[in-house]
Coordinates of all heavy atoms in Angstrom, one line a residue:
P90 N 207.0 19.4 183.9 CA 206.9 19.0 185.3 C 208.0 18.2 185.9 O 208.7 17.5 185.1 CB 205.6 18.2 185.4 CG 205.5 17.6 184.0 CD 206.1 18.6 183.0
L91 N 208.3 18.3 187.2 CA 209.3 17.5 187.8 C 208.6 16.3 188.5 O 207.5 16.5 189.1 CB 210.0 18.3 188.9 CG 211.0 19.3 188.4 CD1 211.2 20.4 189.5 CD2 212.3 18.6 188.1
R92 N 209.3 15.2 188.5 CA 208.8 14.0 189.2 C 209.8 13.6 190.2 O 211.0 13.3 189.8 CB 208.4 12.9 188.2 CG 208.0 11.6 188.9 CD 208.0 10.4 188.0 NE 206.9 10.6 187.0 CZ 205.7 10.1 187.1 NH1 205.4 9.4 188.2 NH2 204.8 10.2 186.2
Q93 N 209.5 13.5 191.5 CA 210.5 13.2 192.5 C 210.6 11.6 192.6 O 209.7 10.9 192.6 CB 210.0 13.7 193.9 CG 211.1 13.5 194.9 CD 210.8 14.4 196.1 OE1 209.7 14.9 196.4 NE2 211.9 14.5 196.9
L94 N 211.9 11.2 192.5 CA 212.2 9.8 192.6 C 212.6 9.4 194.0 O 212.2 8.4 194.6 CB 213.3 9.4 191.6 CG 212.9 9.6 190.1 CD1 214.1 9.1 189.3 CD2 211.7 8.8 189.7
S95 N 213.5 10.2 194.6 CA 213.9 9.9 196.0 C 214.2 11.2 196.6 O 214.0 12.3 196.0 CB 215.2 9.0 196.0 OG 216.2 9.6 195.4
S96 N 214.8 11.2 197.8 CA 214.9 12.5 198.6 C 215.6 13.6 197.7 O 215.2 14.7 197.8 CB 215.6 12.3 199.9 OG 216.9 11.8 199.6
N97 N 216.6 13.2 196.9 CA 217.2 14.3 196.2 C 217.4 14.0 194.7 O 218.3 14.5 194.1 CB 218.5 14.8 196.8 CG 219.6 13.7 196.8 OD1 219.3 12.6 196.4 ND2 220.8 14.1 197.1
E98 N 216.6 13.1 194.2 CA 216.7 12.7 192.8 C 215.4 13.0 192.1 O 214.3 12.6 192.5 CB 217.1 11.2 192.6 CG 217.5 10.9 191.3 CD 217.9 9.4 191.2 OE1 217.2 8.5 191.9 OE2 218.8 9.0 190.5
W99 N 215.4 13.7 190.9 CA 214.2 14.1 190.2 C 214.3 13.9 188.8 O 215.4 13.9 188.2 CB 214.0 15.7 190.4 CG 214.1 16.1 191.8 CD1 215.1 16.2 192.6 CD2 212.9 16.5 192.6 NE1 214.7 16.7 193.9 CE2 213.4 16.8 193.9 CE3 211.6 16.6 192.3 CZ2 212.5 17.3 194.9 CZ3 210.7 17.0 193.3 CH2 211.2 17.3 194.6
L100 N 213.2 13.6 188.2 CA 213.1 13.5 186.7 C 212.4 14.8 186.2 O 211.4 15.2 186.7 CB 212.2 12.4 186.2 CG 212.8 11.0 186.1 CD1 211.7 10.1 185.5 CD2 213.9 11.0 185.1
L101 N 213.0 15.4 185.2 CA 212.4 16.6 184.6 C 211.7 16.1 183.3 O 212.4 15.8 182.3 CB 213.5 17.7 184.3 CG 213.0 18.9 183.5 CD1 211.8 19.6 184.2 CD2 214.2 19.9 183.3
E102 N 210.4 16.1 183.2 CA 209.7 15.5 182.1 C 209.6 16.4 181.0 O 208.8 17.4 181.0 CB 208.3 15.0 182.6 CG 208.4 13.9 183.6 CD 207.0 13.3 183.9 OE1 206.0 13.9 183.5 OE2 206.9 12.4 184.7
A237 N 213.1 24.4 186.2 CA 213.2 23.3 187.2 C 213.9 23.7 188.4 O 213.5 23.4 189.6 CB 213.9 22.1 186.5
A238 N 215.0 24.4 188.3 CA 215.9 24.7 189.4 C 215.2 25.7 190.4 O 215.2 25.5 191.6 CB 217.2 25.3 189.0
A240 N 212.0 25.9 190.8 CA 211.0 25.2 191.5 C 211.5 24.5 192.8 O 210.8 24.2 193.7 CB 210.3 24.2 190.6
L241 N 212.8 24.1 192.7 CA 213.4 23.4 193.8 C 214.3 24.2 194.7 O 215.2 23.7 195.4 CB 214.2 22.2 193.3 CG 213.3 21.1 192.5 CD1 214.2 20.0 192.0 CD2 212.2 20.5 193.4
G242 N 214.3 25.5 194.5 CA 215.0 26.4 195.5 C 216.2 27.2 194.9 O 216.9 27.8 195.7
R246 N 220.3 27.2 196.2 CA 220.9 25.8 196.3 C 221.6 25.6 195.0 O 221.3 26.2 194.0 CB 219.9 24.7 196.4 CG 219.0 24.8 197.6 CD 217.8 23.9 197.3 NE 218.0 22.5 197.9 CZ 217.2 21.5 197.8 NH1 216.0 21.7 197.2 NH2 217.5 20.4 198.3
Q247 N 222.6 24.7 195.0 CA 223.2 24.2 193.8 C 222.5 23.0 193.2 O 221.8 22.3 193.9 CB 224.7 23.7 194.2 CG 225.6 24.8 194.7 CD 226.2 25.6 193.5 OE1 226.5 25.1 192.5 NE2 226.4 26.9 193.7
F248 N 222.7 22.8 191.9 CA 222.0 21.7 191.3 C 223.0 20.9 190.4 O 223.9 21.5 189.8 CB 220.9 22.2 190.4 CG 219.7 22.7 191.2 CD1 219.7 24.0 191.7 CD2 218.7 21.8 191.6 CE1 218.7 24.4 192.5 CE2 217.7 22.3 192.4 CZ 217.7 23.6 192.9
T249 N 222.7 19.6 190.3 CA 223.4 18.7 189.3 C 222.4 18.3 188.3 O 221.3 17.9 188.6 CB 224.0 17.5 190.0 OG1 225.1 17.9 190.7 CG2 224.4 16.5 188.9
F250 N 222.7 18.5 187.0 CA 221.8 18.1 185.9 C 222.5 16.9 185.2 O 223.7 17.0 184.9 CB 221.5 19.2 184.9 CG 220.6 20.3 185.4 CD1 221.1 21.4 186.0 CD2 219.2 20.1 185.3 CE1 220.3 22.4 186.5 CE2 218.4 21.1 185.8 CZ 218.9 22.3 186.4
V251 N 221.7 15.9 184.9 CA 222.2 14.7 184.1 C 221.4 14.7 182.8 O 220.2 14.7 182.8 CB 221.9 13.4 184.8 CG1 222.5 12.2 184.0 CG2 222.5 13.4 186.2
V252 N 222.2 14.8 181.7 CA 221.6 15.0 180.4 C 221.9 13.9 179.3 O 223.1 13.8 178.9 CB 222.0 16.4 179.8 CG1 221.2 16.8 178.6 CG2 221.9 17.5 180.9
M375 N 213.3 1.0 187.1 CA 212.3 2.1 187.3 C 210.9 1.6 187.3 O 210.1 2.0 188.0 CB 212.5 3.2 186.2 CG 213.8 3.9 186.2 SD 214.0 4.9 187.7 CE 213.0 6.3 187.2
Y379 N 209.5 2.1 190.9 CA 208.6 3.2 191.0 C 207.3 3.0 190.1 O 206.5 4.0 189.9 CB 209.3 4.5 190.4 CG 210.5 4.8 191.2 CD1 211.8 4.6 190.7 CD2 210.4 5.4 192.5 CE1 212.9 4.9 191.4 CE2 211.6 5.8 193.2 CZ 212.8 5.5 192.6 OH 214.0 5.8 193.3
L381 N 207.1 2.9 187.0 CA 207.2 4.0 186.0 C 207.9 3.4 184.8 O 209.0 2.8 184.9 CB 208.0 5.1 186.7 CG 208.2 6.4 185.9 CD1 206.9 7.1 185.7 CD2 209.2 7.3 186.6
T387 N 216.1 8.4 178.5 CA 216.0 8.7 179.9 C 216.7 7.7 180.7 O 217.4 8.0 181.7 CB 214.5 8.9 180.3 OG1 213.9 9.8 179.4 CG2 214.4 9.3 181.7
G390 N 220.3 8.3 181.0 CA 220.5 9.4 182.0 C 220.5 8.8 183.4 O 221.3 9.1 184.2
I391 N 219.5 8.0 183.7 CA 219.4 7.4 185.1 C 220.6 6.6 185.4 O 221.2 6.7 186.5 CB 218.1 6.5 185.2 CG1 216.8 7.4 185.1 CG2 218.1 5.7 186.5 CD1 216.5 8.2 186.4
A394 N 223.5 8.8 186.0 CA 223.4 9.6 187.3 C 223.8 8.7 188.4 O 224.6 9.1 189.3 CB 221.9 10.0 187.5
R395 N 223.4 7.4 188.4 CA 223.7 6.5 189.5 C 225.2 6.1 189.4 O 225.8 5.9 190.5 CB 222.8 5.3 189.5 CG 221.4 5.9 189.8 CD 220.3 5.0 189.9 NE 219.1 5.8 190.3 CZ 217.9 5.3 190.5 NH1 217.7 4.0 190.3 NH2 216.8 6.0 190.8
R398 N 227.4 9.0 190.8 CA 226.9 9.6 192.0 C 228.1 9.9 193.0 O 228.1 11.0 193.5 CB 225.9 8.7 192.6 CG 225.2 9.3 193.8 CD 223.8 8.7 194.1 NE 223.6 7.3 193.6 CZ 222.4 6.7 193.7 NH1 221.4 7.3 194.0 NH2 222.3 5.5 193.3
Y401 N 230.1 13.2 192.5 CA 229.6 14.6 192.7 C 228.7 14.7 194.0 O 228.5 15.7 194.5 CB 228.9 15.1 191.5 CG 227.7 14.3 191.1 CD1 226.5 14.4 191.8 CD2 227.8 13.5 190.0 CE1 225.4 13.6 191.4 CE2 226.7 12.7 189.6 CZ 225.5 12.8 190.4 OH 224.4 12.0 190.0
G404 N 225.2 14.4 199.0 CA 224.0 14.0 199.8 C 222.9 15.0 199.7 O 221.7 14.7 199.9
S405 N 223.2 16.3 199.5 CA 222.2 17.3 199.6 C 221.9 18.0 198.3 O 220.9 18.7 198.1 CB 222.5 18.3 200.7 OG 223.6 19.0 200.3
T406 N 222.9 17.9 197.4 CA 222.6 18.6 196.1 C 221.6 17.8 195.3 O 221.8 16.7 195.0 CB 224.0 18.6 195.3 OG1 224.9 19.3 196.0 CG2 223.8 19.4 194.0
P407 N 220.5 18.5 194.9 CA 219.5 17.8 194.1 C 220.1 17.4 192.7 O 220.8 18.2 192.1 CB 218.4 18.8 193.9 CG 218.6 19.9 194.9 CD 220.1 19.9 195.2
V408 N 219.7 16.2 192.3 CA 220.1 15.7 191.0 C 218.9 15.7 190.1 O 217.9 15.0 190.5 CB 220.7 14.3 191.1 CG1 221.1 13.7 189.7 CG2 222.0 14.3 192.0
I409 N 219.0 16.4 189.0 CA 217.8 16.4 188.1 C 218.2 15.7 186.8 O 219.1 16.1 186.1 CB 217.4 17.9 187.8 CG1 217.0 18.6 189.1 CG2 216.2 17.9 186.8 CD1 216.7 20.1 189.0
V410 N 217.5 14.6 186.5 CA 217.8 13.9 185.3 C 216.8 14.3 184.2 O 215.5 14.3 184.5 CB 217.7 12.3 185.5 CG1 217.9 11.6 184.2 CG2 218.6 11.9 186.6
L411 N 217.2 14.7 183.1 CA 216.3 15.1 182.0 C 215.6 13.9 181.4 O 216.4 13.0 180.8 CB 217.0 16.0 181.0 CG 217.1 17.5 181.3 CD1 217.7 17.8 182.6 CD2 217.7 18.3 180.2
A412 N 214.3 13.8 181.4 CA 213.6 12.8 180.7 C 213.2 13.3 179.3 O 212.3 14.1 179.2 CB 212.3 12.4 181.5

Side-chain angles (χ1 to χ4, degrees):
L91 283 159
R92 177 191 289 268
Q93 187 163 18
L94 296 179
S95 64
S96 60
N97 66 351
E98 194 180 36
W99 306 75
L100 272 184
L101 174 58
E102 294 184 356
L241 298 178
R246 302 165 89 181
Q247 294 277 326
F248 290 86
T249 288
F250 287 95
V251 183
V252 189
M375 294 295 280
Y379 302 104
L381 184 66
T387 305
I391 293 282
R395 294 180 177 179
R398 189 156 27 189
Y401 60 76
S405 67
T406 303
V408 175
I409 300 174
V410 179
L411 273 57

